[in-house]
Amino acid sequence: MTAQPTNLSGLDLRAEIDRLRKERKAVILAHYYQKPEIQDLADFVGDSLELSRKAAATDAEVIAFCGVKFMAETAKILSPEKIVVLPDLDAGCSLEDSCPPDQFAAFRAQHPDHIALTYINCSTEVKALSDVIVTSSSAETILAKIPPEQKIIFGPDRHLGGYLNRKFGRDMLLWPGVCIVHEAFSETELLKLKAQHPDAPIAAHPECPAHIVDHADYVGSTSGILNYAKATDGDTLIVATEPHIIHQMELAMPGKTFIGAPGADGNCNCNICPYMALNTLEKLYLALRDLTPRIEIEEGLRLEAKKSLDAMLAMASGTVGQGDLGRP
Ligand code: SF4
């Protein structure tokens, strides 16, 4: 269960977290969508693919994962010998919630000639039912390696799947899940903002609906958007993804202006992920102090889920070819 905040007044939380990090031989990983104060004290800040790789490579004894549950579970799948803690166990994801494993298994059974290419934003059980996991960083590289005649189920994000279908001319069957954060951007408000900043390019995450992505000058993962911000000319960029990524942009490019794309009410605050926001410095401190809430995964399930993650890591780094897909 989630550690309950106690009276922490008077504690220097940053100093205490630092002390516990050393005592526990812990590494603190933070997703780009975490609050700035958490990003600032993390050992590593990244997107899902980077954090997956970091989790696999670290020799720390404890991973404190400041992100959402499926990310911490991914770290545990890849590092079963380590203690993995998530500051708030209620930090879920609307995409994971949209895809119950029993319904996904039934869908797969209806399409036995399809492989399942599955976005990493899903439960461990759904990973275990999938052939290859993708992240928004790796999806295009991996899809490009799958023969065009191979039939594919893509889940759970229908917007990312739709974007890939359009870009690659595929007709993957799409699971109907959405990210509630990226779904909330408003095309009308985005065009109003663009009219105020006509020279500012728009960078969008592929979890956005087509009516947002279609206006983007760049479409890519959070890491991709960050790199685009560094590479592109101009002093202003409109950013259509969860706005906490802007913290890293402002650190790296203090002279540039980054504007979060607005939601329906014109206020980009509605695009803050409510799940990511559950993690706080207080809960991170308690998680390191008490080594709870801990991620535990039954070993048989972990090994099944690991196959699809291994396939992703191998294909994303180019060590697997077209013939290596599919479960035995
Ligand atoms: S931003 Fe969307 S996809 Fe990411 S954790 Fe939040 S709800 Fe899930």
Side-chain angles (χ1 to χ4, degrees):
M1 60 184 282
T2 299
Q4 294 302 310
T6 49
N7 184 3
L8 303 178
S9 61
L11 272 187
D12 180 341
L13 282 175
R14 286 173 183 77
E16 285 298 304
I17 288 169
D18 211 33
R19 178 181 65 77
L20 287 168
R21 166 178 17 213
K22 290 174 190 131
E23 261 182 43
R24 301 289 195 204
K25 295 188 173 60
V27 63
I28 300 173
L29 305 181
H31 191 270
Y32 284 129
Y33 297 166
Q34 289 293 284
K35 298 177 176 83
E37 62 263 32
I38 292 180
Q39 293 187 34
D40 288 347
L41 54 70
D43 296 288
F44 188 77
V45 184
D47 66 14
S48 289
L49 181 61
E50 294 171 302
L51 294 176
S52 301
R53 287 182 164 143
K54 204 70 188 172
T58 180
D59 58 2
E61 293 176 10
V62 174
I63 295 173
F65 208 117
C66 300
V68 295
K69 189 162 166 251
F70 77 80
M71 297 178 180
E73 287 183 352
T74 301
K76 185 67 179 178
I77 292 167
L78 297 174
S79 304
E81 74 289 357
K82 295 180 176 45
I83 292 171
V84 178
V85 292
L86 177 69
D88 192 316
L89 208 49
D90 290 331
C93 172
S94 65
L95 283 169
E96 176 178 348
D97 292 346
S98 78
C99 193
D102 57 337
Q103 292 178 26
F104 188 71
F107 191 62
R108 281 221 68 176
Q110 288 164 16
H111 304 283
D113 53 345
H114 288 58
I115 63 166
L117 193 64
T118 306
Y119 194 31
I120 198 166
N121 298 33
C122 64
S123 65
T124 299
E125 288 80 2
V126 168
K127 287 182 177 73
L129 291 164
S130 302
D131 294 296
V132 186
I133 298 301
V134 300
T135 65
S136 47
S137 300
S138 63
E140 294 191 21
T141 303
I142 289 172
L143 185 55
K145 291 179 179 174
I146 300 176
E149 63 276 13
Q150 173 65 61
K151 295 178 180 172
I152 301 172
I153 290 169
F154 187 91
D157 185 355
R158 70 182 170 91
H159 293 315
L160 174 58
Y163 169 74
L164 293 168
N165 271 346
R166 295 192 298 280
K167 180 156 183 178
F168 286 84
R170 305 288 295 232
D171 62 349
M172 298 188 293
L173 284 179
L174 305 181
W175 188 266
V178 296
C179 162
I180 55 168
V181 173
H182 291 84
E183 178 91 335
F185 291 116
S186 158
E187 181 181 22
T188 305
E189 296 297 328
L190 180 64
L191 292 178
K192 278 192 216 166
L193 185 65
K194 177 72 179 176
Q196 291 163 22
H197 304 276
D199 296 330
I202 298 171
H205 194 284
E207 286 174 21
C208 294
H211 61 252
I212 298 296
V213 165
D214 285 349
H215 296 292
D217 299 277
Y218 174 81
V219 180
S221 67
T222 43
S223 291
I225 291 173
L226 187 55
N227 290 333
Y228 175 76
K230 291 173 182 168
T232 192
D233 293 333
D235 59 4
T236 305
L237 179 68
I238 297 171
V239 180
T241 190
E242 214 272 4
H244 284 114
I245 180 67
I246 290 175
H247 179 59
Q248 289 299 318
M249 294 176 175
E250 290 174 340
L251 288 176
M253 295 156 277
K256 286 192 180 184
T257 300
F258 302 99
I259 307 172
D265 62 356
N267 177 0
C268 69
N269 283 343
C270 62
N271 299 114
I272 289 174
C273 175
Y275 306 103
M276 293 274 185
L278 290 174
N279 294 323
T280 62
L281 284 186
E282 288 81 359
K283 291 176 191 171
L284 174 58
Y285 163 74
L286 291 170
L288 283 168
R289 188 191 71 182
D290 302 337
L291 294 181
T292 186
R294 237 181 247 206
I295 301 293
E296 305 287 2
I297 301 172
E298 188 274 323
E299 183 62 5
L301 174 64
R302 185 190 75 79
L303 290 173
E304 275 304 300
K306 187 171 182 294
K307 290 179 190 171
S308 58
L309 280 166
D310 285 343
M312 171 188 77
L313 293 170
M315 290 183 78
S317 61
T319 57
V320 171
Q322 293 183 353
D324 300 322
L325 284 175
R327 286 178 177 278

